[in-house]
Structures are given as structure tokens and as C-alpha cells.
Amino acid sequence: MSWLTNYVRPKLQGLVGDQDIPENLWVRCPECGAMMYHKELDSNYQICNQCNHHFRLTPTERFKLLFDNEEYTEIELPEVKEDPIKFSDLKSYNDRLKIARKTTNQQDAIRIAHGKMGNMSVVIGVFNFDFMGGSMGTAVGEAIVRAAELATLQEATLILVTASGGARMQEGMLSLVQMARTTTAIRQLKEKGLPYFVVLTDPTSGGVSASFAMLGDFQLAEPGAIIAFAGKRVIEQTIHTQLPDDFQKAEYLKEHGMVDKVVDRRQLRDTIITLNELVRVPNKIDL
């Protein structure tokens, strides 16, 4: 980006005088390398207008995208014991939590909110990959259980938008237990006959993909999202075979029956509403 700092920025500085020019006016697409003006990217739902690469969204952006009129009520995450095994590597787990909370301004790697979508009650949980890689520890597990309970209480559809590196190693076995707990919570929701949607975004992997993230009544994914359990390189080293270039991408998983539909973000809300109406209000759908 030297041409931006060495040529474009001085030109703008000359036009506006001594006013500060923000450093983030332009964003480079990691997929095709195209440079985009940040307002243009915002107006296009954080999607590259050259190659259709879907940038990651914050939970707030997801909520505004999905809920009717951008109106929703967020719930507090259940309190859990922090640093249960007193873990420390290069930094203590407590320090990592403090940094993640300060950086993201949220309590843990998921946020839960409820409201209306297509005028139907929904509970939506959204992962934030910027919070320790969206990893699942006891706080995330408790939040998903609470979300399923809330959906059951409100007789609402549960929607989880995933973006995670998997279980949180700093909580050891307790993080792995959340795989079973979240799976049980989803099973109890389904026993009540309530719909469960999963929106797989980039990346979704590890213990998250091996539990609740692959149990949706509808498995939707954003274009190009990496969806996996173990990394591609690890698998290649294990089986001593070179895998296809698109291995573990959303399109590959759809082709092989692991994903129901790959949905452009601009059509995601309408797609979920249509599918939700199909299972909840059949007489509203003209087949």
C-alpha cells in the first residue's frame, strides 16, 4: 500500500490542508488484492465488488443485517468461573481475556439477541472471531444453552452464526465438555419442534464444527467460507495426499452434501425468512 501513503495520501493532504486523513480510507481485498474505498465496502455489506470476497462482520453488524428494522434486545451472558484451570503460556489466560474484552468491547466470543425477523420471533447468536479466534469455552457453551432455552420459552427460531477456531485450549477439558452440552441443548430445542438454522461463516472449525454447528435443520454458508475440523495441511500430512484447492470451502462442502445452500450475504436475510416461513407458516409459501 506504499502508493497510497506515498502518493494518494499527500495529494489528499494538499487538498484539505492540515486536517487529519484517516489511515483506513482504503481496504485491500485479501482474495484479489483490489483496493476499495471504505464507504463503498460498507454500502456493499462488506463484500468485495471485484471478486465477491465476504469480509468478516462484527456481531453488531450481523444483528443489524438480520433483525427487522435493526431492532433487537441483547441478553447478558451467564456468569462462569474464569480461568478455571489457571492456565498460562506466554501470557496468563486472565490477561488474554482482558485484552480480548478491551479490543472487542464484549464479554466473550459470542453475543445473543432476540427480536423479530420477517415478523417472526427469532433468537440469534453471533460469534466474534476477533475474540480469541471465536473459541468456545464455558462462557460460549453457557450462552448457547441460554439461547436455546430462550428460543424454547419464546417458541422462536434459533439462528447461530458461527466463526470459530474451535474449543478454547486455555480451559482444557471444560471447553470440550461444551461440545456435548451445546449438542444436548440443540436436541432439546428440536424435540419441541422449533427450527434451528446455522450460518457458517469464515472460518468455522474444530470443536464448534464438530458439535452444534453441523446440526442445523438448515445449513447455510457464506461464499468462500472455510468449514473444517482439522486444517487442510494437517490432513495432507496425515494421509500423505494432496487435497483439492477448494477443499473445505463452502462450495466444496455443498457439492458433497455437508451444506444445504451457499448464500450471498446480500440475500441471506431473505433466504432465512423464506425458509423459516416454509417450516413455521407453510400456508404462506406458494409452492
Side-chain angles (χ1 to χ4, degrees):
M1 290 175 42
S2 59
W3 71 276
L4 288 175
T5 55
N6 297 336
Y7 179 77
V8 177
R9 185 178 174 85
K11 286 287 185 181
L12 286 173
Q13 198 76 55
L15 290 173
V16 300
D18 295 330
Q19 299 178 42
D20 288 336
I21 304 297
E23 296 285 354
N24 60 345
L25 279 178
W26 289 271
V27 179
R28 181 187 294 275
C29 175
E31 190 69 24
C32 69
M35 299 300 300
M36 290 161 288
Y37 185 49
H38 74 99
K39 288 187 177 180
E40 181 182 13
L41 189 60
D42 291 341
S43 66
N44 199 35
Y45 298 92
Q46 295 293 313
I47 300 173
C48 175
N49 57 15
Q50 299 296 316
C51 70
N52 204 45
H53 172 74
H54 283 47
F55 287 78
R56 291 172 187 153
L57 295 182
T58 66
T60 298
E61 290 170 327
R62 290 279 180 193
F63 290 149
K64 289 182 177 180
L65 174 68
L66 295 175
F67 283 108
D68 290 350
N69 304 315
E70 300 184 1
E71 296 176 355
Y72 57 90
T73 301
E74 191 166 351
I75 69 170
E76 291 187 13
L77 297 183
E79 292 186 6
V80 298
K81 184 176 181 180
E82 297 187 354
D83 198 6
I85 63 173
K86 307 301 180 185
F87 186 92
S88 180
D89 47 16
L90 297 178
K91 294 180 181 177
S92 71
Y93 181 34
N94 272 326
D95 286 343
R96 292 191 183 279
L97 285 173
K98 290 176 182 177
I99 293 171
R101 286 168 179 164
K102 183 177 180 180
T103 302
T104 63
N105 196 31
Q106 63 183 68
Q107 187 66 18
D108 214 279
I110 193 172
R111 289 166 58 188
I112 308 292
H114 61 97
K116 297 288 186 179
M117 189 174 174
N119 206 32
M120 292 181 289
S121 296
V122 294
V123 176
I124 302 178
V126 181
F127 278 75
N128 187 346
F129 193 78
D130 289 338
F131 195 107
M132 298 185 67
S135 53
M136 178 172 65
T138 53
V140 169
E142 288 287 347
I144 293 173
V145 171
R146 183 69 59 85
E149 291 174 344
L150 180 60
T152 301
L153 181 65
Q154 296 184 350
E155 296 186 345
T157 296
L158 177 62
I159 303 168
L160 294 181
V161 184
T162 61
S164 174
R168 187 171 297 172
M169 59 172 285
Q170 290 88 350
E171 295 188 19
M173 178 61 84
L174 293 175
S175 66
L176 299 180
V177 169
Q178 306 314 310
M179 295 171 62
R181 295 192 70 243
T182 55
T183 298
T184 300
I186 297 304
R187 185 186 65 191
Q188 292 172 343
L189 177 80
K190 290 186 175 185
E191 288 175 351
K192 298 293 184 179
L194 296 169
Y196 170 49
F197 286 73
V198 179
V199 180
L200 302 155
T201 75
D202 184 62
T204 298
S205 61
V208 168
S209 67
S211 54
F212 66 88
M214 299 305 290
L215 298 177
D217 298 311
F218 295 99
Q219 294 288 134
L220 308 178
E222 289 193 333
I226 296 296
I227 305 163
F229 178 66
K232 179 181 176 183
R233 184 172 59 182
V234 173
I235 297 173
E236 288 179 331
Q237 291 174 346
T238 302
I239 65 176
H240 306 291
T241 301
Q242 185 172 353
L243 298 168
D245 291 338
D246 62 348
F247 182 71
Q248 297 181 329
K249 284 195 174 182
E251 293 77 5
Y252 183 93
L253 268 69
K254 177 176 183 308
E255 183 180 343
H256 290 79
M258 296 295 290
V259 167
D260 294 316
K261 189 175 180 64
V262 178
V263 186
D264 186 289
R265 184 177 294 156
R266 289 162 288 200
Q267 283 80 52
L268 182 61
R269 173 181 150 83
D270 289 342
T271 298
I272 294 176
I273 290 173
T274 299
L275 291 172
N276 200 23
E277 288 179 339
L278 178 63
V279 295
R280 304 213 65 171
V281 195
N283 62 329
K284 292 185 67 175
I285 301 297
D286 184 6
L287 297 178

